[in-house]
Amino acid sequence: MGAARSDRREEFPPVNIQVRLLDPGLPLPAYAHPGDAGADLYAAESVELAPGTWKCVPTGIAIALPEGYVGLVHPRSGLAARLGVTVLNAPGTVDAGYRGEILVNLINHDRERTVAISRGDRIAQLVVQRVERAVFEVVEELDGSARGTGGHGSTGGHVALPEAGNGHVALREAGNGRVALPEQGVGAGPLPAQQNF
Ligand SMILES: O=c1ccn([C@H]2C[C@H](O)[C@@H](COP(=O)(O)OP(=O)(O)OP(=O)(O)O)O2)c(=O)[nH]1
């Protein structure tokens, strides 16, 4: 087990990222568990989000990513599932050359409740990834592919049909590609109790 872990560290050495603590009272971004993809970012200010509104929340850190990397500001699924709060521009793109404070643009999708975010709350997660630099080459004809120009549901697609009675629309597969699911598993019910957010 220990040997397997150290092999993995050699195969995937961590990337060093310089961090400026603009608010030394907050913890460094941190991975909650080994193997997590995102390091949690903290709110440097307390903010209130009225229903349907958004705000850029400072995180109290500025970073210098190495060239060839990007920081992606992803939402936290727990905030979304419990409160309807997510990252408006998800995933936010932190460029390697950016030296300003990382901001998280949080939106409250709840239609009735104001959400209070307190300083020190974990509001988003930063996923650091390698990126390729593309060179855009103009051509007359694109190389062929199995998909061709088909998109937007061309593989079977979905149609929204009015449900009898309650005025809702339901997602339904058009054609014969529908996957059979137990009735309880479809629709907008509460999350099953075993879901851990
Ligand atoms: O969630 C985010 C997204 C971006 N940024 C910072 C880092 C990023 O490098 C910079 C610019 O972001 P982006 O390129 O997405 O914004 P833009 O609207 O295209 O602005 P610009 O013209 O400055 O590139 O803003 C954040 O702090 N948080």
Side-chain angles (χ1 to χ4, degrees), residues 142-151 154-155:
L142 299 172
D143 288 348
S145 79
R147 173 175 280 272
T149 56
S154 65
T155 64

Side-chain angles (χ1 to χ4, degrees), residues 133-150:
R133 185 93 195 154
V135 174
F136 297 96
E137 179 198 356
V138 177
V139 294
E140 286 300 321
E141 292 291 333
L142 299 172
D143 288 348
S145 79
R147 173 175 280 272
T149 56

Side-chain angles (χ1 to χ4, degrees), residues 71 73 87 89 91-105:
V73 179
V87 175
N89 56 324
T93 305
V94 178
D95 300 292
Y98 180 68
R99 299 290 179 267
E101 181 168 15
I102 295 179
L103 305 177
V104 177
N105 194 345

Side-chain angles (χ1 to χ4, degrees), residues 155-159 171-179:
T155 64
H158 293 86
V159 285
L171 198 58
R172 293 281 181 264
E173 281 273 4
N176 51 13
R178 188 168 185 206
V179 179

